[in-house]
């Protein structure tokens, strides 16, 4: 009996590793040729034991359930009878789940609509001698005014210190450190690089022109050279992972946000040649350090075999099964592995899945989550996937593969994105505060 189980496990591991290898290779392009390279799983495995979800909070993540300005006081069902301000508590006390969802969405829209009031709150928080990061995270989760993003993102990522008296000196020192690293590692003749370094630089040089190809700004030679310097310097200084395809996408939101401090108008009208070499270096440095801070919180997403992504893909599968069992069962019956589509979502943080014009708003929420971001991605991606719940149930394996690799998001606006984030926050509140929802 044990021998048969071991043989089955070996077959499952082999199939999983081959799927992972294929998907990693597909990241060189922006689509997956499903008919050729993806096959349905022949034998759906037995239903695995559902993991218990736990979202660890950093010291900067306190007060996450008070993200909205006017939380509703409700009576909890437990014996303590204390007021529960969480949305999970609201759901438990509400006989109509649909009514709760509608009320939740109205609350979110209400907060987003009071723009002038929110700007005043941002100004108040940012004007303090020492910024209280908990308050800044609560505000940023719902979106950051575009002209405040550079300062807010530097603070949220811990690149700029909360103390305003130290901020300028720290940024100056970190920018100089980046410049020195470029001189030490990038500005070298090829003869002084190892074979591995030469190959890595060549791969980066190949990937940079493929980065956000539908935005003309990223096709400028000077932009691609900046991406190349940032990525190569980062990879050399982080040998545990080195360069992994997909990291090139993660630099792009930082590049756009930090260039916005110097360039006016829309991104498509920008030209890097309008900036001095010093300003370009400062922008690159800010991108480098913010990328470093972001990836420090998800290191195992990009190390060998990318175990962090594999773990989150499994959690996504389990969460979807709990939220929408018919969709989960249909995907299972069709033999579609979550790894075949969700790997790219985690690897590139949805940058390839939605219009680039919406990425900065999405990343406001990403960065506001802080250390808890990897676990919260599971809820965002479940919400994203189940946007097309009805459509998916009508598709066979091949049709689902192609649909999920070419999602109909090209006409999305802030409204669709806000709906995805609202559902994700609601579901996180439900399952995180009520672990029994995820018990087998």
């Amino acid at each position: 009996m044990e021998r048969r189980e071991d043989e089955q496990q070996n077959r499952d591991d082999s199939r999983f590793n081959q799927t992972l290898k294929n998907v990693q290779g597909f990241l060189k392009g922006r689509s997956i040729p499903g008919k050729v390279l993806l096959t349905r799983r022949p034998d759906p495995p037995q239903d695995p034991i559902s993991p218990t979800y736990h979202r660890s909070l950093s010291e900067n993540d306190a007060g996450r359930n008070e993200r909205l300005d006017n939380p509703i006081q409700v009576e909890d069902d437990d014996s303590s009878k204390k007021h529960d301000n969480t949305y999970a508590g609201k759901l438990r006390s509400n006989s109509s789940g649909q009514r709760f969802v509608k009320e939740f969405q109205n609350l979110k829209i209400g907060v987003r609509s009071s723009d002038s009031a929110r700007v005043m709150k941002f100004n108040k928080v940012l004007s303090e001698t020492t910024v209280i990061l908990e308050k800044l995270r609560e505000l940023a989760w719902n979106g950051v005014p575009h002209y405040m993003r550079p300062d807010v993102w530097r603070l949220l990522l811990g690149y700029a210190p909360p103390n305003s008296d130290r901020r300028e000196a720290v940024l100056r020192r970190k920018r100089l450190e980046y410049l020195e690293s470029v001189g030490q590692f990038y500005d070298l003749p090829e003869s002084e690089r190892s074979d591995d370094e030469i190959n890595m630089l060549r791969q980066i040089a190949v990937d940079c022109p493929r980065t956000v190809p539908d935005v003309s700004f990223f096709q400028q030679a000077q932009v691609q050279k900046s991406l190349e310097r940032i990525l190569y310097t980062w990879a050399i200084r982080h040998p545990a992972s080195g360069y992994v395809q997909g990291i090139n996408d993660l630099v792009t939101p930082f590049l756009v946000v930090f260039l916005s401090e110097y360039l006016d108008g829309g991104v498509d009208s920008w030209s890097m040649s309008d900036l001095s070499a010093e300003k370009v270096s400062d922008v690159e440095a800010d991108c480098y350090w913010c990328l470093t801070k972001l990836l420090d919180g998800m290191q195992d997403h990009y190390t060998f075999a990318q175990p962090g992504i594999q773990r989150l893909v499994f959690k996504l599968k389990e969460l979807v099964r709990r939220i929408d069992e018919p969709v989960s069962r249909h995907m299972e019956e069709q033999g579609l592995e979550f790894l075949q589509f969700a790997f790219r979502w985690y690897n590139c943080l949805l940058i390839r899945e939605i219009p680039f014009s919406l990425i900065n708003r999405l990343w406001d929420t990403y960065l506001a989550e802080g250390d808890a971001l990897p676990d919260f991605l599971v809820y965002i991606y479940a919400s994203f996937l189940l946007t097309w719940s009805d459509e998916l149930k009508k598709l066979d394996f091949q049709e689902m593969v192609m649909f999920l690799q070419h999602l109909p998001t090209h006409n999305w606006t802030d409204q669709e994105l806000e709906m995805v984030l609202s559902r994700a926050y609601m579901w996180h509140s439900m399952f995180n505060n009520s672990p029994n929802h995820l018990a087998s």
Side-chain angles (χ1 to χ4, degrees), residues 153-154 157-160 170-171 173-186 200 204 225-239 241-243 247-248 250-259 279-296 363:
W153 282 19
R154 291 187 193 106
L157 284 161
Y159 168 43
V170 168
L171 293 180
R173 175 173 56 82
K174 301 297 279 186
R175 288 165 177 169
L176 179 59
E177 183 180 340
Y178 168 77
L179 189 61
E180 292 173 346
S181 294
V182 170
Q184 181 180 356
F185 302 119
Y186 181 82
M200 182 167 63
I204 291 172
K225 185 58 68 173
S226 286
L227 287 172
E228 186 177 294
R229 277 192 293 267
I230 295 165
L231 291 166
Y232 183 77
T233 304
W234 185 89
I236 290 295
R237 293 191 59 171
H238 295 81
S241 64
Y243 173 68
I247 295 180
N248 54 310
L250 306 187
V251 180
T252 58
F254 296 129
L255 189 59
V256 168
V257 165
F258 296 131
L259 280 171
K279 288 180 178 178
V280 170
S281 179
D282 286 350
V283 168
E284 288 182 15
D286 289 358
C287 293
Y288 169 86
W289 288 113
C290 286
L291 176 69
T292 299
K293 293 290 188 178
L294 174 70
L295 296 186
D296 281 350
W363 280 48

Side-chain angles (χ1 to χ4, degrees), residues 100-355:
F100 165 72
V101 172
K102 192 168 184 179
E103 188 171 305
F104 175 85
Q105 291 165 354
N106 288 339
L107 281 170
K108 295 286 287 184
I109 293 170
V111 173
R112 292 283 296 151
S113 65
S114 57
D115 287 338
S116 60
R118 296 189 70 248
V119 168
M120 290 177 62
K121 291 179 180 180
F122 270 106
N123 282 327
K124 182 178 179 181
V125 170
L126 293 173
S127 64
E128 297 288 343
T129 302
T130 300
V131 173
I132 300 175
L133 293 178
E134 291 89 344
K135 293 182 178 180
L136 185 61
R137 291 186 189 282
E138 292 172 9
L139 287 172
W141 202 96
N142 289 303
V144 180
H146 69 91
Y147 58 92
M148 294 181 176
R149 273 201 182 102
D151 290 331
V152 171
W153 282 19
R154 291 187 193 106
L155 287 163
L156 291 177
L157 284 161
Y159 168 43
N163 189 308
S164 60
D165 295 335
R166 298 178 52 239
R167 202 168 297 151
E168 185 177 348
V170 168
L171 293 180
R172 189 184 310 116
R173 175 173 56 82
K174 301 297 279 186
R175 288 165 177 169
L176 179 59
E177 183 180 340
Y178 168 77
L179 189 61
E180 292 173 346
S181 294
V182 170
Q184 181 180 356
F185 302 119
Y186 181 82
D187 294 332
L188 294 176
E190 191 165 295
S191 60
E192 296 185 23
R193 302 187 201 277
S194 69
D195 289 343
D196 286 343
E197 290 169 349
I198 291 172
N199 291 333
M200 182 167 63
L201 182 56
R202 287 175 179 170
Q203 184 61 61
I204 291 172
V206 168
D207 287 347
C208 285
R210 298 170 173 169
T211 304
V212 197
D214 51 339
V215 177
S216 60
F217 169 73
F218 289 103
Q219 304 312 305
Q220 296 179 25
Q222 194 171 351
V223 174
Q224 293 175 10
K225 185 58 68 173
S226 286
L227 287 172
E228 186 177 294
R229 277 192 293 267
I230 295 165
L231 291 166
Y232 183 77
T233 304
W234 185 89
I236 290 295
R237 293 191 59 171
H238 295 81
S241 64
Y243 173 68
V244 176
Q245 287 174 315
I247 295 180
N248 54 310
D249 292 87
L250 306 187
V251 180
T252 58
F254 296 129
L255 189 59
V256 168
V257 165
F258 296 131
L259 280 171
S260 71
E261 293 185 287
Y262 304 105
L263 298 173
D264 297 325
V267 174
D268 286 331
S269 68
W270 288 358
S271 174
M272 289 278 279
S273 61
D274 293 339
L275 300 181
S276 66
E278 181 182 2
K279 288 180 178 178
V280 170
S281 179
D282 286 350
V283 168
E284 288 182 15
D286 289 358
C287 293
Y288 169 86
W289 288 113
C290 286
L291 176 69
T292 299
K293 293 290 188 178
L294 174 70
L295 296 186
D296 281 350
M298 49 182 72
Q299 291 181 4
D300 61 353
H301 288 209
Y302 301 98
T303 53
F304 178 73
Q306 299 178 260
I309 290 181
Q310 295 187 41
R311 182 179 64 252
L312 293 182
V313 168
F314 175 77
K315 288 186 176 182
L316 174 62
K317 178 180 179 180
E318 286 300 294
L319 182 61
V320 169
R321 185 167 64 89
R322 295 297 178 181
I323 293 172
D324 195 330
E325 197 275 336
V327 166
S328 175
R329 184 175 63 252
H330 178 70
M331 295 171 72
E332 185 83 11
E333 290 171 349
Q334 292 297 316
L336 181 63
E337 294 276 9
F338 272 65
L339 193 69
Q340 292 172 329
F341 63 89
F343 182 90
R344 191 173 76 178
W345 297 4
Y346 284 108
N347 198 70
C348 305
L349 298 183
L350 288 191
I351 287 178
R352 300 187 185 186
E353 317 308 324
I354 65 176

